[in-house]
Amino acid sequence: MQLLNEHYQLRVAEPSDIPEVIQLFAQAFRFKLNAFDIDSTNPSQRRQLEAIWNSLACKKNSQQFVVTEDRKIIATFCLVIKENDFISNPFIKTPFLDYWRFGITHYIKQKIFFSLFDYIPNENEAYLAHIAVLSSYQGHGIAYAILEWITQYSKDVLKKAYLSLYVDIHHEGALYLYQKNGFYIEKEESSRLTQSIFHIQHWNYMLKKTC
């Protein structure tokens, strides 16, 4: 546990955090979940989301973090690197039957959905797979503080020269935040998969130097 600033704490996520993390994730990406006909308010689908998410979280090249206030999770983000170096990762693989217990159709949809966040970065970069802040805490500078922390962590601990991410070119609020924090657009990419599902074809691949 460490301080993000004078108000909030930051720590590595734990398996017991999964329900709250999924709620934050579903809030941040609700339009994309809806486009995929995934209902995170449905208890069965939510438990399946939690099982699939847990299997992704146990990968040794990724690390999920949470930001808390009085033990309440108010933000979450995930960092990914090329190497399998996150030995402190506390998650374990979900039992196979838990994937299928709540329906094969929803399982396939959710696996495809999460695959959209699956990217292996270059050796010299740390990749920000996602970031989500509780809606009632947005506008308080939390996302900016997280980006500042990630930059320093990527430089000092992960020894990476760059921090990277993808963002929808039409997401003006996110673009403004990232550019304000020092990110620049390295290139624009397109995806037929996201076009067919979300009607989002173009994405900005953004970089920020950590030093």
Side-chain angles (χ1 to χ4, degrees), residues 2-155:
Q2 57 184 288
L3 292 177
L4 178 66
N5 56 29
E6 64 270 24
H7 301 292
Y8 310 115
Q9 297 78 44
L10 185 149
R11 60 173 173 79
V12 173
E14 301 172 353
S16 60
D17 298 324
I18 291 178
E20 286 185 85
V21 169
I22 286 295
Q23 287 182 16
L24 266 172
F25 195 88
Q27 171 200 282
F29 301 101
R30 61 188 180 280
F31 297 115
K32 294 181 176 64
L33 285 167
N34 291 340
F36 232 136
D37 194 28
I38 297 173
D39 182 6
S40 61
T41 65
N42 180 294
S44 293
Q45 289 195 46
R46 186 176 64 249
R47 287 193 290 271
Q48 196 169 43
L49 277 169
E50 292 173 1
I52 296 172
W53 186 91
N54 181 72
S55 295
L56 295 173
C58 73
K59 292 182 177 181
K60 296 301 183 183
N61 71 324
S62 69
Q63 187 90 84
Q64 190 79 28
F65 297 85
V66 294
V67 178
T68 63
E69 181 185 43
D70 298 328
R71 299 186 180 180
K72 175 184 178 180
I73 296 176
I74 61 169
T76 187
F77 61 93
C78 179
L79 287 178
V80 180
I81 56 176
K82 188 176 181 65
E83 308 87 354
N84 294 327
D85 283 353
F86 287 119
I87 58 176
S88 62
N89 192 317
F91 295 89
I92 58 174
K93 192 172 183 179
T94 302
F96 184 73
L97 288 177
D98 284 359
Y99 297 142
W100 304 86
R101 184 175 299 169
F102 305 110
I104 181 64
T105 301
H106 293 305
Y107 167 75
I108 293 173
K109 288 180 180 179
Q110 292 171 18
K111 283 289 286 185
I112 295 173
F113 173 79
F114 279 117
S115 73
L116 300 176
F117 298 88
D118 194 12
Y119 167 76
I120 303 299
N122 298 320
E123 291 184 359
N124 66 342
E125 67 181 276
Y127 174 65
L128 177 58
H130 60 258
I131 180 172
V133 178
L134 195 65
S135 57
S136 57
Y137 283 81
Q138 292 175 7
H140 296 178
I142 296 174
Y144 191 90
I146 289 173
L147 292 173
E148 289 289 280
W149 183 90
I150 292 173
T151 302
Q152 203 64 39
Y153 181 81
S154 298
K155 175 187 175 183

